């Protein structure tokens, strides 16, 4: 399965911490919250927006 994010979904996703938009990092398959300094993984095309799963930038 692909780890790509549907562009229509990306415009609706926000950071669970700051409620700001997320940026897609295709190289790392992560959704990045610049405001929170966190990167959330995408597994099998599904965003994992759980704080304990996030990586600090």
């Amino acid at each position: 399965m692909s780890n790509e994010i549907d562009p229509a979904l990306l415009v609706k996703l926000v950071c669970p911490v700051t409620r700001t938009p997320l940026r897609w990092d295709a190289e790392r398959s992560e959704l990045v919250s610049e405001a929170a300094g966190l990167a959330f993984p995408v597994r099998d095309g599904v965003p994992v927006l759980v704080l304990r799963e996030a990586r600090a930038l």
Side-chain angles (χ1 to χ4, degrees):
M1 229 179 194
S2 171
N3 271 344
E4 291 296 314
I5 290 291
D6 180 342
L9 177 61
L10 184 58
V11 298
K12 296 176 183 178
L13 292 174
V14 295
C15 172
V17 177
T18 64
R19 301 288 185 223
T20 57
L22 295 166
R23 175 180 57 83
W24 172 242
D25 181 344
E27 186 176 310
R28 298 188 87 146
S29 294
E30 295 177 325
L31 290 165
V32 177
S33 171
E34 302 291 348
L38 297 170
F40 296 90
V42 174
R43 297 187 184 125
D44 294 328
V46 178
V48 181
L49 300 178
V50 178
L51 190 54
R52 71 175 180 267
E53 296 290 327
R55 176 180 70 80
L57 298 178

